[in-house]
Amino acid sequence: MAPRNIGQQFIELASVDSTNKYAAEQLALRKLRHGAVILAHEQTAGRGQRGRVWRSGGGLDLTASVVLMPQRMRVAGQAVLAKMAALAVHDVVADAFRQAGLDVGPVRIKWPNDVLVDRRKISGILIKNEVVGTLVQSCVVGIGLNVNNTDLEADIQATSLRLETGREHDRRAVLEALCDRLEAWWQRVEAEDPVVGQAYADLLWSRGRFAELLLDGEPFTGRPMDVDEEGRLLVEDGEGRVRAYGTERLRFAPR
Ligand code: BTN
C-alpha cells in the first residue's frame, strides 16, 4: 500500500488564533507540503462559515487544518474537495457510532459540509482554496469536530462524540482515523472516481425531503437532491422543477 501523505508533516500548536489562518500564512511562506496537518489544542479566534466564529472546547475537541495540493484540479470542479472532507469526517463519526453499537443512519452531511447527527451539528468544515489561473493550487481544509465537549450550547443544536456515544474519546486516535479517511478519499479524488460525488449525495441531509430554505433571504421550500461539481445544491421545488443554487443565494433556514 502507498504511504499515507496526509499527516506526514505534522505541526502541533498549544494555542493559535486559527489553524486555517496559520496554514494560509505558512503556505504563503512555502513551508507546507501536500498533506500537512496543523493541530491546535486551543483556538482563540476560530473561524466558521459565513464569517461566523467557531467555538470549541480547549483540549476537548479537534481543531485542525489539512493542506491538499491537487495535481490538476480545475476551479470548476473544486467542490469535490469539500465533498471528500465531509465524507472523511462522516466516516470517522460513523465508525465511532459503530464501535458504540449505535445506528449510523442519523450521521449525515448537510450541504455544504456540516456533519450532523439527526439535526445536531457535530462537525463544521471551512475550506479555502488558492487558485492560479484555472487550477486549484492548494487547499486548506479546516475541520472542527466536537469530540469530548459536553458543555455545548443547547440552542445551536450541537453535539459531540462523547455526548452521542457516552464515552470519552482519545483525540489523537480520532485525528489518526481522520487522516486515514482523508487519504482514502483523496486517492479517489485524484483518480477522478465518481464514487466521491455518489457517496456524498447518498449521505446528503434531507435528501428528497422537503426542507425549509432561504433563497435570497426569502423562505423557500424545496427538496435537496444532489450537489453539482461546482458545489451548488440541486433543489426540486413543489412543481418538480430542479434548479442549482450556490451558498451566496441559498441556505437552510435557521432552526
Ligand atoms: C463552520 O462554520 O461550520 C465551519 C467551522 C470550521 C472550524 C474549523 S476549526 C479548525 C479550522 N480553523 C478555523 O479557524 N476554522 C476551522
Side-chain angles (χ1 to χ4, degrees):
M1 205 204 288
R4 191 183 79 188
N5 288 315
I6 293 180
Q8 263 199 12
Q9 187 182 6
F10 182 62
I11 299 173
E12 186 171 359
L13 305 166
S15 180
V16 73
D17 46 5
S18 153
T19 56
N20 268 26
K21 180 164 171 273
Y22 182 92
E25 288 161 1
Q26 296 298 304
L27 256 180
L29 297 171
R30 299 181 180 276
K31 293 203 171 152
L32 301 178
R33 300 192 296 275
H34 167 74
V37 171
I38 294 121
L39 170 73
H41 294 283
E42 178 197 55
Q43 284 192 133
T44 54
R47 299 170 175 184
Q49 291 163 27
R50 300 180 192 269
R52 287 192 287 251
V53 171
W54 179 259
R55 289 194 186 81
S56 47
L60 293 170
D61 298 322
L62 198 66
T63 48
S65 297
V66 181
V67 173
L68 301 172
M69 293 181 178
Q71 294 292 313
R72 47 171 194 284
M73 184 176 290
R74 290 172 301 106
V75 178
Q78 62 186 321
V80 74
L81 295 165
K83 292 182 181 180
M84 69 150 269
L87 284 165
V89 176
H90 161 274
D91 291 353
V92 171
V93 174
D95 267 351
F97 270 50
R98 270 186 216 103
Q99 280 163 26
L102 298 171
D103 174 20
V104 298
V107 186
R108 315 283 293 187
I109 299 169
K110 185 178 176 189
W111 176 76
N113 43 20
D114 289 346
V115 178
L116 302 194
V117 179
D118 284 325
R119 292 178 156 264
R120 303 180 294 283
K121 180 162 167 171
I122 196 162
S123 173
I125 299 170
L126 185 65
I127 295 192
K128 184 88 173 61
N129 292 335
E130 187 73 33
V131 171
V132 174
T134 57
L135 295 177
V136 178
Q137 181 104 336
S138 63
C139 168
V140 174
V141 181
I143 298 170
L145 173 61
N146 299 332
V147 179
N148 289 320
N149 206 335
T150 53
D151 186 25
L152 295 156
E153 298 162 61
D155 61 343
I156 60 164
Q157 295 203 39
T159 190
S160 67
L161 286 179
R162 181 168 181 172
L163 285 171
E164 295 296 328
T165 64
R167 71 167 183 89
E168 203 166 309
H169 291 259
D170 179 338
R171 283 186 305 140
R172 188 70 67 171
V174 174
L175 180 63
E176 279 295 316
L178 182 60
C179 291
D180 283 346
R181 295 314 301 150
L182 283 166
E183 182 73 41
W185 285 111
W186 175 253
Q187 297 302 333
R188 293 168 187 147
V189 167
E190 286 282 85
E192 297 180 21
D193 189 334
V195 77
V196 180
Q198 288 153 9
Y200 179 94
D202 286 345
L203 289 164
L204 199 57
W205 187 76
S206 197
R207 188 185 193 195
R209 287 188 288 121
F210 282 104
E212 300 305 320
L213 299 148
L214 291 175
L215 178 60
D216 299 326
E218 297 297 323
F220 169 69
T221 305
R223 289 206 276 219
M225 305 306 287
D226 201 351
V227 173
D228 69 12
E229 277 200 359
E230 291 171 41
R232 297 174 305 180
L233 186 68
L234 304 183
V235 187
E236 185 182 310
D237 67 16
E239 274 95 56
R241 283 185 305 246
V242 179
R243 294 216 173 102
Y245 300 101
T247 49
E248 68 293 343
R249 292 195 62 196
L250 190 75
R251 53 184 295 199
F252 283 95
R255 291 165 269 140

